[in-house]
Every structure is written in structure tokens, then in C-alpha cells.
Amino acid sequence: SYELTQPPSVSVSPGQTAEITCSGDALPKQYAYWFQQKPGQAPVLVMYKDSERPSGIPERFSGSSSGTTVTLTISGVQAEDEADYYCQSADSSGTYVFGTGTKVTVL
Amino acid sequence: QITLKESGPTLVKPTQTLTLTCTFSGFSLTTSGVGVGWIRQPPGKALEWLALIFWNDERRYSPSLKSRLTITEDTSKNQVVLTMTDMDPVDTGTYYCTHTEVGGVGDYWGQGALVTVSS
């Protein structure tokens, strides 16, 4: 089955930049989406179609794509950005899949 | 304002069938491009996509669970129902209902419903 691989954890100091990667063979042909999930809460969409930011999401969140890897970048990290982040995409048959998840810790 | 809310049993026994209802407002499932889906999350684990139904009645299922899942809609009631047969303790988790219109599986999410499978 198709898999999306993320690093288990990323640690960053306040004000610094966090980069979360997501790797998958179908990513050159399928869009990626990113979700932020804080403890006890439902996930929130923070990026869609690789690099489009939904209304209400801070400008410090950005997305990019290169080959089989997509990246969510948080510039000027704030304490409130500490959360789990999941990428999501689809395989060639249209089956959706989530990444393994990355815990972002703000030091 | 788009809202979704999941409802259903909090406890089911092994081998039973789970029926979850998503009641939504702020959009219509007859609008081109709109979909409603289900995603679950076992305690402390990652998100898992389950099923999605689109405005044109197209339905997609997770290949690993396809034999156990059925997603249906009642547009008159603004509801989408997910049934999952042969429940097992490993199916314990929070089940989320989602709205999609931007191509992914969830641009809006319900609060989630915790389902425990135990005898």
C-alpha cells in the first residue's frame, strides 16, 4: 500500500524556522495537504494543493514541493505552533493516505 | 459557516456493526466538487482515512477496510452515514467527519466521536 513518510519529530526554538518533510512516490503527480493537530483537538487544514494557504492560516506557514518530497515550513515559529502535523495525499488510483505524523516541539 | 457533528454509540462490542452519523450545515452535498468523508485516529496514533462520498454520488473507500465499510448520504437531512461491520478492539479510536472542496480529505472537520470496542 502507498505510504507517506514524515520525520517523527522536529524541535525548533521560538523565532526560528521549522521544516517538516513528507516523502512519497506519487507526490510528483498528486497534491499534498497539511494538517495541524493540537492535543485533544480535531485537525486543522493549514496548507492545500502543495502551497495554498487557507483563509485564517498565518503567513508564517508555507508549503513547497520538489520531486517526491513536499515540505511544510513554519517561519518565525511561535509557541502556539507546537502540535502534531500530518501530510495527506493520494495514490494514482485516487486512494487517500495520511503521513506518519511529525511532532513539532518548540523549545 | 460550515459545521459538522458526529453522532453514534460510544461503546460497541466485538463483531457488532458500528453506525455513525455526520450531520452537517453550511453547505450542500449536491454542490459540484463537495465531498463528505470519514477519518479515524486510534489513541496516540496517526490519522487514517476511511471513506469519502462526493456530490455526484462517487464513493471511495480505504482499500484495507473496503469490505467492511459503507458510506451513504441523506441529502434531505444533510446527513452522511458510515457503517463499519465486524468491529474489533483495534477499531477503537476517534472518528471524524469532514467536508472537502479543495481536493483533499478535509478542509473542515467535526469535533470527533470516540468509539470504544470492548466486550
Side-chain angles (χ1 to χ4, degrees), chain B residues 81-104:
Chain B
V81 175
L82 181 76
T83 60
M84 179 180 290
T85 61
D86 195 23
M87 293 293 285
D88 182 272
V90 300
D91 297 313
T92 293
T94 298
Y95 287 71
Y96 295 100
C97 171
T98 66
H99 162 283
T100 179
E101 198 171 355
V102 295

Side-chain angles (χ1 to χ4, degrees), chain A residues 30-71:
Chain A
Q30 297 287 345
Y31 283 124
Y33 302 76
W34 288 93
F35 299 89
Q36 176 195 68
Q37 186 180 32
K38 296 181 179 180
Q41 298 183 19
V44 173
L45 180 70
V46 295
M47 199 66 56
Y48 67 98
K49 293 184 178 178
D50 292 347
S51 58
E52 298 292 325
R53 195 172 52 250
S55 168
I57 301 302
E59 291 185 4
R60 63 180 181 273
F61 288 87
S62 62
S64 62
S65 176
S66 179
T68 58
T69 299
V70 294
T71 302

Side-chain angles (χ1 to χ4, degrees), chain B residues 15-30:
Chain B
T15 75
Q16 287 186 336
T17 294
L18 171 68
T19 299
L20 291 171
T21 300
C22 175
T23 303
F24 57 84
S25 64
F27 68 94
S28 172
L29 196 42
T30 61

Side-chain angles (χ1 to χ4, degrees), chain B residues 57-107:
Chain B
D57 208 35
E58 177 187 358
R59 303 163 199 215
R60 298 186 189 178
Y61 296 98
S62 166
S64 62
L65 294 167
K66 185 175 182 178
S67 64
R68 299 173 54 204
L69 295 173
T70 303
I71 189 169
T72 60
E73 61 175 313
D74 186 336
T75 52
S76 67
K77 295 182 179 179
N78 279 357
Q79 292 181 334
V80 168
V81 175
L82 181 76
T83 60
M84 179 180 290
T85 61
D86 195 23
M87 293 293 285
D88 182 272
V90 300
D91 297 313
T92 293
T94 298
Y95 287 71
Y96 295 100
C97 171
T98 66
H99 162 283
T100 179
E101 198 171 355
V102 295
V105 298
D107 43 10

Side-chain angles (χ1 to χ4, degrees), chain A residues 59-101:
Chain A
E59 291 185 4
R60 63 180 181 273
F61 288 87
S62 62
S64 62
S65 176
S66 179
T68 58
T69 299
V70 294
T71 302
L72 177 70
T73 300
I74 312 172
S75 304
V77 166
Q78 300 182 8
E80 66 196 52
D81 299 330
E82 185 163 287
D84 293 328
Y85 290 83
Y86 294 93
C87 62
Q88 177 260 305
S89 188
D91 65 15
S92 56
S93 68
T95 297
Y96 300 103
V97 63
F98 282 97
T100 49

